[in-house]
Amino acid sequence: FSMVLQALVDHKGRFTNINIGWLGKVHDARVFRNSGLFRRLQEGIYFPNHKITVGDVEMPIVILRDPAYPLMPWLMKPYTGALDSEKELFNYCLSKCRMVVECAFGRLKGRWRSLLTHSDLSQTNIPIVIAACCVLHNLCESKGETFMAGWEVEANRLAADYAQPDTQAIRRAQRDALRIQEALKASFQSEQGNL
């Protein structure tokens, strides 16, 4: 079995909130809706009294997510469907900001490659090990510990050996993603780098 690690990552690539223990076949949005993080965000107590103003709109601090998650006042996700240039620019900027998250997960997996392989630990102990790896990752990031590029290459190779099961929902999401990817590619080519 595989296990979901849902994490909130700050702008420096450190894990500030983690939720571990759901089986890998559970959809990310379901894990999120059942998390303490979701409840605290919904109640407005995770980032209390932190408001910013953009244009003439006062808003809370927002968390960036992928399209699998719901759009909430405190949870921003990319536009889907037919996108005009403004929406594409929004998606591009959101994606650039989310790269910190992707890099944090890449570095976590690169440092602790055992997270990507079969484990003989009990289902009870695996979340403890994952949480410990997240804490150690944060210490390494905070102290500027060296990260070797080859570690991530090896982690990607291992991840391919333990790919998630192919489900109908995943195949549908991949088809949608390919359609969006092709549209963005065509747009980037027609705009010639204006984004």
Side-chain angles (χ1 to χ4, degrees), residues 2 7 18 46 48-49 59 80 93 102 111 130 140 142-143 163-164 173 192-193:
S2 60
I18 57 175
Y46 195 81
N49 304 319
M59 62 184 72
T80 58
C93 293
E102 300 300 325
R111 281 191 175 106
I130 295 171
C140 290
S142 295
K143 300 293 182 185
Q164 292 296 309
Q192 304 217 358

Side-chain angles (χ1 to χ4, degrees), residues 8 37 41 46-47 61-65 74-77:
L8 183 61
L37 174 63
L41 288 164
Y46 195 81
F47 296 116
I61 292 175
V62 296
I63 295 172
L64 309 180
R65 290 289 191 166
W74 40 264
L75 186 66
M76 287 295 107
K77 66 180 200 170

Side-chain angles (χ1 to χ4, degrees), residues 91-181:
N91 285 1
Y92 172 77
C93 293
L94 202 70
S95 176
K96 265 181 83 171
C97 292
R98 285 190 63 243
M99 286 306 297
V100 173
V101 176
E102 300 300 325
C103 289
F105 274 96
R107 291 167 77 91
L108 174 75
K109 294 184 292 187
R111 281 191 175 106
W112 319 110
R113 291 180 293 282
S114 63
L115 295 175
L116 299 170
T117 62
H118 172 78
S119 174
D120 291 328
L121 295 172
S122 72
Q123 191 172 344
T124 306
N125 289 333
I126 290 175
I128 296 166
V129 170
I130 295 171
C133 290
C134 290
V135 170
L136 291 171
H137 164 87
N138 285 354
L139 287 170
C140 290
E141 291 296 304
S142 295
K143 300 293 182 185
E145 192 68 30
T146 302
F147 182 83
M148 303 292 198
W151 295 350
E152 195 165 359
V153 171
E154 176 65 11
N156 290 336
R157 187 192 62 73
L158 283 170
D161 291 345
Y162 291 92
Q164 292 296 309
D166 188 22
T167 66
Q168 184 178 1
I170 290 171
R171 287 190 301 275
R172 184 173 42 249
Q174 288 172 340
R175 281 193 306 270
D176 291 346
L178 288 171
R179 197 177 96 253
I180 292 167
Q181 184 181 45

Side-chain angles (χ1 to χ4, degrees), residues 1 15 21 43 45 55 83 88 90 108 118 127 143-144 175 181:
F1 64 91
F15 298 103
E43 294 168 6
I45 58 175
L83 305 176
E88 286 176 359
F90 174 88
L108 174 75
H118 172 78
K143 300 293 182 185
R175 281 193 306 270
Q181 184 181 45

